[in-house]
Amino acid sequence: MAKKKLLCTLLLATTFMCAQKNKTIKELGLKYNPFRIETKISFKSIRTQAVTLSVIDILGKSILIDKIIAHKGMNNIAFKHNILSPGMYLYAIETSKEVLSKRFVVK
C-alpha cells in the first residue's frame, strides 16, 4: 500500500513539473487594480509568439479581443477604457497552447 502511495505521489509530482515546463506565458498581472481609466497589463513570454488579449465582462460578453505579437521577456500592454461600467471583468492572454486569466475591477 505504501508503494502505491509513493508511486502515485511520484507520478503526480512528475506530471506537475512537466506541465510547468511547457508554459510559455508567466507572471500575468496589472499595474493598477482596481483602476478608473487606464492600467497596464503585463506578462512574461518565454519566446516571441502570437497571443490574444481578451477582456470579458462578468456575464461572459466579450469587450475586447486583440491579437498581438508577444516578444521574449516582459510585455506590457496599455489598456484604456472608455466604455466599461464600474464592476468586475476578466482578462486573459491566450496562446496556441494555453490560456492565463485573471480579474480586474473598474471603479
Side-chain angles (χ1 to χ4, degrees), residues 22-26 44-47 49 95 97-98:
N22 293 331
K23 291 191 178 226
T24 61
I25 299 290
K26 301 176 182 180
K44 186 181 282 187
S45 179
I46 66 165
R47 67 174 184 256
Q49 60 185 327
T95 69
K97 297 181 180 181
E98 64 188 308

Side-chain angles (χ1 to χ4, degrees), residues 27-81:
E27 300 177 25
L28 179 62
L30 286 177
K31 181 157 178 127
Y32 304 107
N33 191 14
F35 68 97
R36 291 186 192 273
I37 298 171
E38 182 176 352
T39 190
K40 190 178 289 186
I41 299 170
S42 62
F43 61 94
K44 186 181 282 187
S45 179
I46 66 165
R47 67 174 184 256
T48 299
Q49 60 185 327
V51 299
T52 302
L53 167 66
S54 303
V55 176
I56 303 159
D57 71 11
I58 203 70
L59 299 175
K61 179 182 171 191
S62 292
I63 305 297
L64 170 75
I65 298 174
D66 195 9
K67 295 181 189 258
I68 60 171
I69 299 296
H71 299 284
K72 183 177 180 179
M74 283 305 290
N75 290 266
N76 295 299
I77 304 166
F79 178 70
K80 293 182 182 181
H81 82 84

